Amino acid sequence: MKRITVADLDTQSTDAQVPSYLASDHRENPWLRWWYRLASPLMPPASASFQRRELFRRGRTGSQILPALYLLLIVALPAGFLGTNFYLVPIVIVCFFMLVIATVLNRLGFVNAAGFIVVLTFMFFPIADIVTTPGGINMMDLPVFGMLILPLVCAVSFLAPWWVFVVALINCLFTFFALTQLPQTPELMGMLEINFTGIISPILISQIIISVVAYVWVSSTVHALARADRAEEIARLEHDLALQAEAAARQKEQLENSIQKIVETHTRVANGDYSARVPLTRDNVLWQISGSLNNLLARMQRLSQDSGELQKMKQGFYQLREENRRLREAVLALQQLREEEGRSRGTSPNLSQFSPDDPRKLMWQTGEERF
């Protein structure tokens, strides 16, 4: 027996549409579409797990900030030629190639690996600039510590939210180490001796505040997406249950109609109509039963026809035997009559040559035309 499933209803029924709240509408920015083809991972199918879709979201978000990072490196390149730090140009070139590698990995779907490369690249960029400053760290290098915010942005874009605290901790440790252990100009040393806390506190506080805000923002977004995913999953389950209920109702109705047709066919056969057939098609759940029943009815119809022909032959045989019996009786009566006439005339005709089984011959010898 064929079983109707939800998949059958989806393929056979054109009026069963997916509700609008289940239809995912992924609209891409036309200005960034070409860039997504170069830097963003491929969009997962609608049936993908939440973890896979979350990985895609991080890869897509990371690809959105990559153009700004490329622009930052391009802008920093002239400063390497015009500034006092001659190591800045090779640092920018190295960071540029590392960013290209991260872009390729992100496009291939290795979002975590791309994120680590981007974070390390933009941690290396300001740290290397500060460490390689000729003559030690000076007052002009203090704004460079503000660029350590970039790894935080990269971390919350590409990686899991908690990685932002790891990056912030590394930035704070480097800031404290750089302002206490690395070579410094006399001017900066004098400023640090006067107000060390006032110089280092804004750098550390900005790291902490940005990391906390970024973590809360990204975590809230992830939780909201998880709740939306669960709500969508529940909606899909409700939709599937509705389809299953509809399939069960259709199957029940089809079974009732099929059973009614079978009962009608049985009634016609019981009334002697062996030409009756169950009018069910192959897509019916009772097709196998109706097919077997129709074969049985066809055989019964042929048997009924053969039985009718046999009955006619039997009746003809009975009639022929009755006529033969009557004919033999007539022959015997005629033979007795001839014997009596012969005895009355004193002659005995030789009737032994006639047989009761050959009345026509007897008729020809006696000149009789009928009995």
Side-chain angles (χ1 to χ4, degrees), residues 138-152:
N138 52 45
M139 295 294 295
M140 301 298 296
D141 290 331
L142 291 179
V144 181
F145 285 95
M147 295 184 64
L148 292 174
I149 295 175
L150 289 176
L152 301 179

Side-chain angles (χ1 to χ4, degrees), residues 347-364:
T347 60
S348 178
N350 187 12
L351 298 178
S352 60
Q353 56 181 337
F354 299 104
S355 173
D357 295 332
D358 195 1
R360 293 184 178 181
K361 187 175 181 182
L362 180 60
M363 291 169 59
W364 180 77

Side-chain angles (χ1 to χ4, degrees), residues 252-363:
K252 180 180 178 181
E253 181 180 1
Q254 189 181 60
L255 283 173
E256 292 177 353
N257 295 334
S258 302
I259 293 174
Q260 182 63 29
K261 292 179 180 179
I262 292 176
V263 171
E264 292 176 356
T265 303
H266 275 285
T267 303
R268 292 176 59 185
V269 173
N271 293 330
D273 184 8
Y274 293 102
S275 63
R277 298 292 184 271
V278 182
L280 298 182
T281 58
R282 291 184 178 271
D283 57 348
N284 195 283
V285 292
L286 298 181
W287 160 251
Q288 295 181 352
I289 296 177
S290 64
S292 301
L293 181 59
N294 288 336
N295 291 334
L296 178 61
L297 293 177
R299 293 180 180 178
M300 290 181 62
Q301 184 180 15
R302 289 194 298 268
L303 181 62
S304 177
Q305 294 174 354
D306 295 341
S307 177
E309 294 178 358
L310 181 62
Q311 186 68 23
K312 292 180 181 179
M313 293 177 62
K314 187 175 180 182
Q315 291 178 357
F317 176 74
Y318 286 154
Q319 294 176 358
L320 182 61
R321 187 174 63 176
E322 183 66 20
E323 292 178 358
N324 189 22
R325 183 184 63 80
R326 292 176 181 177
L327 183 61
R328 295 180 64 180
E329 290 178 355
V331 171
L332 291 177
L334 180 61
Q335 184 178 4
Q336 292 177 0
L337 180 62
R338 293 300 184 187
E339 289 178 354
E340 291 177 358
E341 290 180 353
R343 284 196 296 269
S344 62
R345 295 177 181 178
T347 60
S348 178
N350 187 12
L351 298 178
S352 60
Q353 56 181 337
F354 299 104
S355 173
D357 295 332
D358 195 1
R360 293 184 178 181
K361 187 175 181 182
L362 180 60
M363 291 169 59

Side-chain angles (χ1 to χ4, degrees), residues 16-79:
Q17 300 294 333
V18 178
S20 58
Y21 55 83
L22 293 181
S24 300
D25 187 12
H26 300 282
R27 295 184 179 180
E28 295 182 350
N29 190 329
W31 298 99
L32 294 177
R33 187 176 301 168
W34 65 272
W35 175 249
Y36 289 153
R37 295 176 181 176
L38 297 176
S40 176
L42 295 176
M43 184 178 296
S47 59
S49 62
F50 175 75
Q51 289 76 12
R52 185 176 177 185
R53 283 183 285 165
E54 172 62 17
L55 188 67
F56 165 76
R57 184 197 64 80
R58 290 194 279 114
R60 176 59 64 90
T61 304
S63 65
Q64 293 172 352
I65 68 170
L66 285 177
L69 300 179
Y70 279 108
L71 181 62
L72 176 63
L73 294 178
I74 294 174
V75 172
L77 191 60

